[in-house]
Amino acid sequence: MLHALEAIERYKSGKSQQQHLQHEPEWLQWLAAAEKPRINLERIHSIAELQKINAVLDYTERTLQVLNGLQLSFWMKELLEEVLAWSETAKGGSLDQRRTWQQQGINLFVHNIGSAQLYSLYATDGSNGLESATSPKQEIIRILISTHGLIGQYTRGEIPFAENIPLRSLMTEGWVTDSELRTLLMALNQCIIAAVDSHLWNQVQGEVEQIVNRIVTGTEHTDWSVKERLSRLRSNSIRQGEAIDETYAKLEQQFPVEQQLAPMASRTLWYVESAMRDFSLEEMVKVFLLALHSEEWNQEKTSPSNASSVTSIRHISFEPLMNTMYYDYKGAKKLNIYKKRMIEKYLEQYSWEQIIAGEKLPYPHLGHRVERYPDLPDTLFVTFEFSPAAEKLIAFCIEAEKSPLYEQAVLLLFDLFGLRRDAYDRFHNEETYLSDMNSSGDYKKVLLDYMVGIRVLDIGPGGGVLLDLIEQEKPEVEAIGIDISANVIEALERKKQRESHHWHVMKGDALQLNQYVESGTVDTVIFSSILHELYSYIERDGRRFNTDTVAAALQSAFQVLSAGGRILIRDGIMSEPETQKRRIRFLEPDGLRWLERYAADFKGREITFERISDDEVMMPINDAMEFLYTYTWGEEAYVHEIQEQFGVFTPQAYEKCIRETLGEQAEIIKLHHFLQEGYTEALVDRIHFMDEKGNPASLPDSTCLIVIEKKGKEGVTE
């Protein structure tokens, strides 16, 4: 076993306790003493676990384990053991130790350079300073540490090829032959990459071999174009469905991308994908430009005393942004969607011209911060900074995610940033929510029987299940999804690219459809489980839960319909007569507590009930059903469901609203209501549902299907 692995094993087994660590190698002392190691969060699944483990030491151990299994000559294995043992040291050390290192000029933020500097100072006699070692062997080790991981970073688009050129000095100095350098670099990169993921090494081994060959042979190599570099920086987004060619082409139409991002060509980029993997390409480019047109960058170009010092900015680090974008949720790393949405809005308001001109937006609670530190003049740090009030409110949203206070917290956040509530679908658990929406395909398929024409709008497409069904069952139809929610459109665009769909989506307001499609050009408009959300969330005349919102949505849809076109509605329905009452006997011990909590928290209207016993109540039938919809969904959906009223109208009230809103030109050709499958089964072991006299009763209809046709001289054929 390698000596370094034996040292780590002694430490982990407790044979080398903290008080005896001074007898262990310095690299192990520092890694073991790390109080807050610098971690790339890209492959970390739980931030909370970082408090219990030493991720840097564990990674170093894995690299050494890979090395231990390689068939190499003794001198190569010994040399690479030293390289791997020291390569992460700039991420370790106690806070006091790190402060001392910074005062000594150690670059702790570009860890390969910082680790090489530590090696030069502490593993050699240090007489030659930070940038060199004493013997040829030590100089080989120092150079391999200083270029540690750069080949992998080059394949990811994070560095220019020239960063690897120092490796050629190992041959030009006569320390190793070309074949020895090739063997060293392939072995070293296998240790570095396979320690992250063995499958990843299998995927990239061929490309690594090509790059190593270029380094060894000195083959001239042109760096990636801006587009190729962006594509590599966004490899994960592309795998998730981002249409990079199409998106980049749109950017080129807006401003000269290659020209504006040219200054990045010779700079290394740190933690880019970790910090911005969830942002769009346009947003990432805007962040790059904010850095390149910041005061900190331009100070160098305008400095008359040192005009050439612009080249001293060698690194651009997004580590501060990465560290602010995640938090721990149920033991898993979770994107801080609150900050992401606010940053998205901030970037959306910035025009390309404003960014290039170096203007700053008058945004009181959020701004971008680009800074350099006096002791690290070659490194630019980029992040976004929230006001103290915004930080506290976002923290409150996270803490309130499982309580009725959650929705109030989110509304406060929207008010603070001046955003519409319906501009986003959900913050907390949004991925699960969109997935659940996709599971409703069987219920939505019936809508296809009532579609007419070849141009169909799906309002509020959610996870895209209805768009998929239309494409599958009616391939001749042009299906378009319209949603005001930025995150829904973003997810659907990626799904479209990933799964090669032909439907289209656009961000738009359901109440103003004529702004996105020409009046009279749509054959079918579908509102599938969306009218009750518009009713629940959109304020009209200063209040939510306003039936005028439903009327406005119908008018908006009717205006864009062609003659003979149809509006299809599938949504919640209330029972008639509304004066009916029903009894609920709870079979679960906390059932009555659920109802009491729900009645206090529900925002749609006052929920009333009469308590008959410790486990039984009498309620108006529509209050009972509105409660049971939420009771069925369970605790996870509670904070959202109390904000939404599922049943908006009774059948008669729906008919009245349609006739009064759309007039004689609208013909209701179907108004059907039914109990959606699943509710009875979901509640059978949880409640007994009874009439006023206590006799067993069936659940009333929950859902309606309404088809409205626009009369006209020229009808649309099915």
Side-chain angles (χ1 to χ4, degrees):
M1 182 186 291
L2 299 175
H3 295 306
L5 282 175
E6 291 176 347
I8 293 174
E9 186 178 281
R10 282 195 302 273
Y11 168 69
K12 286 192 168 184
S13 66
K15 295 176 183 177
S16 178
Q17 296 297 331
Q18 193 70 31
Q19 61 268 30
H20 300 301
L21 265 175
Q22 65 267 27
H23 302 300
E24 298 292 357
E26 285 174 300
W27 60 264
L28 179 56
Q29 295 179 39
W30 296 333
L31 294 184
E35 296 173 30
K36 190 178 180 183
R38 313 198 76 80
I39 299 294
N40 187 334
L41 297 179
E42 183 176 350
R43 293 181 178 271
I44 296 297
H45 300 293
S46 173
I47 295 175
E49 287 181 7
L50 293 177
Q51 307 300 320
K52 306 172 186 176
I53 64 173
N54 189 323
V56 176
L57 180 59
D58 289 348
Y59 171 72
T60 300
E61 183 179 26
R62 291 197 302 274
T63 65
L64 290 164
Q65 287 169 342
V66 176
L67 176 63
N68 197 51
L70 297 182
Q71 297 297 316
L72 294 170
S73 65
F74 174 79
W75 75 269
M76 281 192 179
K77 189 168 283 192
E78 183 183 51
L79 187 145
L80 291 179
E81 178 182 7
E82 192 81 352
V83 171
L84 293 172
W86 281 86
S87 287
E88 303 292 323
T89 49
K91 296 180 179 179
S94 66
L95 296 180
D96 286 342
Q97 180 68 72
R98 294 179 68 80
R99 278 191 286 269
T100 300
W101 288 341
Q102 284 182 284
Q103 291 167 4
Q104 293 174 312
I106 306 294
N107 191 333
L108 299 178
F109 296 92
V110 182
H111 73 268
N112 58 312
I113 293 176
S115 296
Q117 291 172 329
L118 288 172
Y119 175 80
S120 292
L121 278 180
Y122 293 94
T124 70
D125 62 18
S127 61
N128 291 321
L130 300 179
E131 303 302 330
S132 63
T134 54
S135 69
K137 178 183 176 182
Q138 290 170 338
E139 187 62 12
I140 293 171
I141 292 171
R142 186 196 68 80
I143 291 174
L144 289 175
I145 295 172
S146 68
T147 56
H148 175 271
L150 295 189
I151 289 177
Q153 287 181 263
Y154 177 67
T155 66
R156 289 162 55 99
E158 295 171 339
I159 68 163
F161 183 76
E163 292 293 318
N164 286 297
I165 297 303
L167 290 166
R168 284 192 52 77
S169 66
L170 303 187
M171 290 189 308
T172 58
E173 292 291 338
W175 296 329
V176 296
T177 66
D178 56 353
S179 62
E180 288 171 337
L181 180 57
R182 186 177 280 106
T183 301
L184 281 170
L185 293 181
M186 287 303 296
L188 179 58
N189 280 276
Q190 182 174 351
C191 295
I192 294 168
I193 298 172
V196 174
D197 185 340
S198 58
H199 298 294
L200 179 62
W201 170 247
N202 294 332
Q203 293 170 16
V204 303
Q205 182 178 354
E207 187 173 13
V208 169
E209 193 167 359
Q210 291 176 4
I211 297 168
V212 168
N213 187 59
R214 291 191 196 118
I215 294 170
V216 172
T217 60
T219 305
E220 287 190 17
H221 178 66
T222 303
D223 265 318
W224 311 124
S225 66
V226 167
K227 180 184 176 184
E228 178 63 23
R229 194 173 185 188
L230 289 173
S231 298
R232 288 175 176 269
L233 288 169
R234 298 190 62 76
S235 58
N236 182 71
S237 299
I238 293 169
R239 283 194 296 271
Q240 294 300 314
E242 181 175 74
I244 188 71
D245 293 334
E246 178 183 332
T247 318
Y248 188 81
K250 288 180 181 177
L251 287 182
E252 285 188 308
Q253 294 172 3
Q254 299 173 41
F255 80 105
V257 186
E258 293 272 349
Q259 176 188 334
Q260 285 296 325
L261 293 185
M264 282 174 44
S266 60
R267 272 80 189 187
T268 69
L269 305 175
W270 293 88
Y271 303 101
V272 177
E273 191 161 18
S274 309
M276 291 189 281
R277 62 184 297 170
D278 293 289
F279 289 99
S280 69
L281 175 64
E282 178 176 329
E283 290 158 353
M284 175 186 275
V285 171
K286 281 190 172 182
V287 174
F288 287 159
L289 289 179
L290 287 173
L292 295 177
H293 292 278
S294 64
E295 292 180 8
E296 290 72 12
W297 184 278
N298 286 305
Q299 277 173 2
E300 302 219 345
K301 292 192 292 184
T302 58
S303 172
S305 61
N306 192 5
S308 65
S309 65
V310 65
T311 58
S312 69
I313 296 180
R314 182 179 170 190
H315 312 285
I316 304 176
S317 173
F318 298 90
E319 183 181 10
L321 177 58
M322 174 191 71
N323 288 333
T324 195
M325 290 306 298
Y326 300 97
Y327 66 98
D328 208 79
Y329 176 72
K330 290 186 175 180
K333 181 186 72 175
K334 188 174 179 66
L335 174 70
N336 193 321
I337 197 72
Y338 313 97
K339 287 189 174 181
K340 178 175 183 281
R341 297 302 177 206
M342 302 308 120
I343 293 171
E344 285 173 344
K345 186 66 178 178
Y346 177 80
L347 293 172
E348 182 185 330
Q349 295 179 74
Y350 248 126
S351 69
W352 300 109
E353 293 75 18
Q354 286 175 313
I355 296 176
I356 293 169
E359 294 182 24
K360 287 198 172 183
L361 292 181
Y363 217 59
H365 294 288
L366 175 60
H368 62 279
R369 190 176 80 240
V370 182
E371 59 187 350
R372 298 166 69 189
Y373 303 131
D375 53 348
L376 286 173
D378 67 345
T379 307
L380 205 64
F381 295 90
V382 184
T383 190
F384 288 88
E385 191 168 45
F386 291 80
S387 70
E391 286 282 4
K392 286 183 169 57
L393 192 48
I394 289 169
F396 176 46
C397 287
I398 293 171
E399 288 298 319
E401 281 179 346
K402 294 179 103 178
S403 80
L405 291 172
Y406 174 71
E407 198 71 20
Q408 298 173 41
V410 170
L411 290 174
L412 286 171
L413 188 64
F414 272 64
D415 289 342
L416 189 69
F417 285 91
L419 303 176
R420 279 179 53 169
R421 168 61 180 90
D422 61 314
Y424 303 91
D425 207 319
R426 298 200 174 192
F427 280 91
H428 175 53
N429 239 13
E430 90 179 19
E431 301 90 350
T432 303
Y433 177 61
L434 291 177
S435 175
D436 288 343
M437 292 178 73
N438 276 346
S439 67
S440 61
D442 291 343
Y443 304 137
K444 296 185 176 186
K445 194 170 185 178
V446 66
L447 293 167
L448 274 61
D449 296 334
Y450 299 95
M451 283 172 34
V452 293
I454 59 170
R455 199 176 193 210
V456 176
L457 294 187
D458 179 15
I459 309 301
V465 61
L466 187 54
L467 293 173
D468 287 349
L469 285 171
I470 295 171
E471 181 175 289
Q472 178 183 330
E473 302 293 329
K474 296 181 178 289
E476 73 282 1
V477 169
E478 178 191 4
I480 304 170
I482 294 184
D483 204 299
I484 195 68
S485 171
N487 52 312
V488 166
I489 295 300
E490 177 184 306
L492 285 172
E493 288 284 12
R494 294 191 175 192
K495 171 183 168 69
K496 176 184 176 180
Q497 178 72 11
R498 187 172 61 247
E499 301 175 6
S500 301
H501 290 293
H502 302 295
W503 40 253
H504 304 286
V505 290
M506 63 176 73
K507 189 173 183 292
D509 188 342
L511 305 189
Q512 301 180 60
L513 292 175
N514 62 349
Q515 292 188 7
Y516 316 100
V517 293
E518 189 177 344
S519 296
T521 64
V522 177
D523 301 318
T524 303
V525 179
I526 301 175
F527 293 98
S528 180
S529 295
I530 196 67
L531 281 180
H532 79 274
E533 294 207 358
L534 300 178
Y535 169 77
S536 299
Y537 289 120
I538 295 181
E539 284 194 4
R540 198 163 185 86
D541 300 325
R543 62 188 176 91
R544 293 163 58 195
F545 304 102
N546 188 339
T547 56
D548 289 346
T549 303
V550 177
L554 293 175
Q555 287 174 330
S556 172
F558 206 67
Q559 185 176 357
V560 300
L561 274 187
S562 59
R566 290 178 176 179
I567 297 174
L568 310 184
I569 300 170
R570 180 189 173 280
D571 217 311
I573 196 79
M574 296 174 74
S575 294
E576 294 172 334
E578 295 182 72
T579 54
Q580 294 178 83
K581 292 192 175 183
R582 288 291 182 265
R583 290 190 182 195
I584 297 176
R585 180 181 301 143
F586 293 102
L587 304 180
E588 297 175 322
D590 64 343
L592 186 57
R593 180 192 62 79
W594 249 87
L595 174 58
E596 292 170 341
R597 176 187 173 197
Y598 177 83
D601 294 337
F602 184 63
K603 306 302 180 187
R605 62 173 186 269
E606 183 182 4
I607 299 293
T608 62
F609 63 91
E610 176 188 350
R611 184 168 175 167
I612 296 175
S613 68
D614 289 342
D615 60 1
E616 189 172 328
V617 295
M618 177 95 75
M619 303 179 67
I621 189 169
N622 289 314
D623 285 359
M625 287 306 296
E626 197 66 49
F627 161 69
L628 289 176
Y629 298 139
T630 298
Y631 192 55
T632 304
W633 276 98
E635 185 69 39
E636 192 70 22
Y638 181 84
V639 295
H640 303 293
E641 297 304 320
I642 59 170
Q643 302 296 324
E644 299 178 7
Q645 183 170 310
F646 184 59
V648 178
F649 291 122
T650 64
Q652 289 187 43
Y654 243 128
E655 183 175 358
K656 180 181 179 183
C657 174
I658 292 167
R659 296 197 185 285
E660 290 181 352
T661 301
L662 303 182
E664 295 182 358
Q665 198 179 1
E667 180 180 359
I668 301 174
I669 62 175
K670 187 177 187 67
L671 202 168
H672 172 61
H673 43 90
F674 54 93
L675 177 63
Q676 183 172 300
E677 292 181 12
Y679 282 121
T680 300
E681 293 77 8
L683 292 168
V684 66
D685 295 324
R686 304 182 70 189
I687 65 163
H688 285 157
F689 195 73
M690 302 167 286
D691 63 18
E692 294 179 63
K693 296 181 180 180
N695 299 314
S698 299
L699 295 174
D701 290 347
S702 63
T703 308
C704 66
L705 175 61
I706 304 174
V707 181
I708 308 165
E709 189 165 279
K710 186 174 186 177
K711 298 178 182 178
K713 294 181 181 179
E714 297 180 3
V716 178
T717 58
E718 294 189 45

